[in-house]
């Protein structure tokens, strides 16, 4: 039986995987796309389709995020507009590289290697950050007060004044946007993991403004990227629609869990999951090189399994906390 | 599938992005209503009530 042009089993897999990704994104606030493109590559989709569909998924997810945050929105529209110009150029460049590599038969290998590096680096950083996070609370509080921004020392005119931050060189903003755009166009990721620290620590923008501007920026770049990839047949709606349906539900669960469970206790597993994603892509590449099909299955099991474990930990701890609170409530009213 | 294959490349891309946008809005509204409707019951059930 086919629904949306794919078999029912695959549809259920995509919806289920979407729920897991949504829980992780809703809870940790990042990584919505980190596992989608690698999973599609591991499943044997052409690189162009994996990256393009990953970007379309990022677009859909960020639209929902933007709708949820619209009332809280502190957005620096000038920064968002400048970023959009450079991010769009970067996406176009990234897409051109992917299509060129595809015509040379190298896209799969190069993007797999890039993903191993990206997931490994970000995963290792999250693990490192989670181990030191409890010690850093005082430092974080100090950072929140007012930070001049690492890039504010670069006074290359013209300078642009930003909301709640010192002025930043236009060229620095455009360069950051270009790097994020290339990553989005090349790997199908939203780039929030790069944009947020760049805006907060690089430009000195307050966290609330960075969150609002980040989500608007990812929505725009996701939309532009989806359009550019869709032009060359790189967006498969039979992948994106069920993934999005699952992730929108999962994100609500993950967001609700943030009020019940302390992120720091689970963050280390999120980091390990990203490292697991890097291992999975590497395993799959080794399998391809040596003609070992079984390694494809192993790598898919690693990706889906680690997502199940970490999102399962979020849900399990939330339910446990919910029950604990209920017992406390009953005891205090007795 | 979805009846958009006959469209030109750019028009097909616009329709695809529009479909993803429409689905996202529909999911936001739909799940929002669902959470309001059954959310408290589910939370109570999970809490062991």
């Amino acid at each position: 039986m086919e629904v949306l042009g794919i078999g029912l089993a695959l549809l259920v897999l995509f919806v289920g995987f979407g729920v897991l990704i949504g829980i992780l994104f809703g809870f940790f606030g990042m990584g919505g796309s980190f596992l989608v493109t690698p999973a599609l590559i591991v499943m044997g989709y052409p690189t162009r389709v994996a990256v393009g569909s990953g970007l379309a998924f990022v677009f859909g997810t960020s639209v929902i995020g933007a709708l949820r945050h619209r009332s809280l929105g502190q957005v620096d529209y000038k920064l968002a507009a400048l970023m959009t110009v450079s991010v769009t150029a970067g996406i176009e460049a990234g897409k051109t590289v992917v299509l060129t590599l595809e015509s040379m038969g190298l896209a799969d290998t190069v993007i797999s290697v890039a993903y191993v590096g990206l997931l490994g680096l970000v995963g290792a950083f999250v693990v490192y950050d989670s181990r030191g996070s409890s010690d850093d609370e005082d430092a974080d509080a100090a950072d929140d007060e007012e930070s001049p921004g690492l890039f504010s020392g670069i006074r290359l005119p013209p300078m642009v004044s930003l909301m709640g931050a010192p002025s930043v060189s236009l060229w620095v903003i455009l360069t950051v946007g270009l790097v994020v755009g290339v990553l989005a166009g090349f790997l199908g990721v939203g780039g929030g993991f790069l944009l947020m620290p760049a805006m907060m620590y690089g430009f000195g923008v307050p966290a609330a403004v960075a969150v609002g501007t980040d989500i608007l920026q990812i929505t725009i770049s996701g939309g532009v990227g989806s359009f550019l990839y869709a032009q060359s047949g790189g967006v498969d709606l039979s992948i994106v629609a069920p993934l999005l349906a699952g992730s929108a539900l999962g994100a609500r669960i993950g967001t609700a869990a943030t009020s019940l469970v302390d992120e720091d206790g689970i963050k280390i597993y999120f980091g390990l999951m990203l490292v697991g994603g890097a291992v999975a892509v590497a395993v799959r590449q080794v399998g391809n090189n040596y003609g070992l099909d079984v390694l494809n299955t192993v790598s898919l099991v690693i990706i889906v399994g680690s997502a199940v474990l970490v999102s399962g930990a979020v849900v399990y701890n939330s339910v446990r906390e919910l029950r604990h609170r209920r017992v406390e409530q009953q005891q205090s009213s007795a | 599938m979805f009846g958009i294959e006959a469209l030109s490349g750019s028009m097909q891309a616009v329709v695809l992005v529009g479909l993803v946008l429409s689905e996202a809005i529909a999911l936001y509204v739909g799940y929002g209503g669902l959470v309001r409707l059954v959310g408290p019951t589910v939370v109570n059930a999970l809490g062991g009530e």
Side-chain angles (χ1 to χ4, degrees), chain A residues 5-253:
Chain A
I6 56 172
L8 190 61
L10 197 55
L11 185 86
V12 171
L13 176 73
F14 281 144
V15 173
F17 191 55
V19 172
L20 301 178
I21 297 287
I23 291 174
L24 298 172
F25 180 63
F27 188 75
F28 294 105
M30 67 181 279
S33 57
F34 277 162
L35 295 184
V36 171
T37 305
L40 294 175
I41 289 175
V42 163
M43 288 171 77
Y45 283 96
T47 314
R48 178 170 37 103
V49 174
V51 176
S53 301
L55 260 180
F57 172 72
V58 166
F59 170 57
T61 311
S62 54
V63 166
I64 295 170
L67 287 170
R68 288 180 73 110
H69 280 94
R70 72 192 189 286
S71 52
L72 308 170
Q74 281 180 290
V75 178
D76 188 325
Y77 289 98
K78 195 197 299 173
L79 179 59
L82 289 172
M83 286 273 195
T84 299
V85 174
S86 51
V87 166
T88 304
I91 292 174
E92 181 62 43
K95 188 202 80 171
T96 307
V97 174
V98 170
L99 296 186
T100 308
L101 287 171
E102 200 170 60
S103 67
M104 295 162 69
L106 292 171
D108 191 27
T109 308
V110 173
I111 288 176
S112 293
V113 170
Y115 255 110
V116 171
L118 175 79
L119 291 174
L121 268 177
V122 178
F125 177 76
V126 172
V127 170
Y128 172 78
D129 189 47
S130 67
R131 286 167 66 92
S133 58
S134 54
D135 305 331
D136 292 345
E137 277 171 14
D138 292 342
D140 286 348
D143 283 349
D144 286 345
E145 282 174 13
E146 182 88 11
S147 163
L150 291 171
F151 302 145
S152 59
I154 303 172
R155 314 300 297 173
L156 195 63
M159 302 300 287
V160 179
S161 59
L162 302 175
M163 193 190 277
S167 56
V168 177
S169 167
L170 172 72
W171 304 109
V172 171
I173 296 173
L174 295 180
T175 304
V176 169
L178 195 68
V179 171
V180 170
V182 169
L183 268 178
F186 189 59
L187 296 173
V189 294
F193 69 98
L194 206 66
L195 263 179
M196 283 288 290
M199 283 192 280
M200 285 169 61
Y201 305 117
F203 302 163
V205 170
V209 178
V211 170
T213 310
D214 174 67
I215 203 149
L216 174 67
Q217 177 50 50
I218 294 176
T219 306
I220 295 169
S221 56
V224 171
S226 305
F227 173 76
L228 293 174
Y229 267 95
Q231 277 182 316
S232 49
V235 175
D236 188 338
L237 211 53
S238 65
I239 299 170
V240 181
L243 271 178
L244 197 54
S247 80
L249 179 64
R252 285 189 179 266
I253 299 169

Side-chain angles (χ1 to χ4, degrees), chain A residues 286-333:
Chain A
V286 171
N288 273 6
N289 289 351
Y290 292 98
L292 299 168
D293 285 344
V294 68
L295 292 186
N296 270 354
T297 314
V298 170
S299 80
L300 190 61
V301 168
I302 295 175
I303 289 185
V304 177
S306 54
V308 167
L309 279 177
V310 182
S311 52
V314 171
V315 173
Y316 172 76
N317 283 297
S318 302
V319 173
R320 208 174 60 163
E321 177 60 23
L322 211 55
R323 296 195 169 186
H324 178 68
R325 286 185 189 181
R326 181 83 64 202
V327 170
E328 277 187 343
Q329 210 173 31
Q330 283 167 348
Q331 281 172 346
S332 63
S333 61

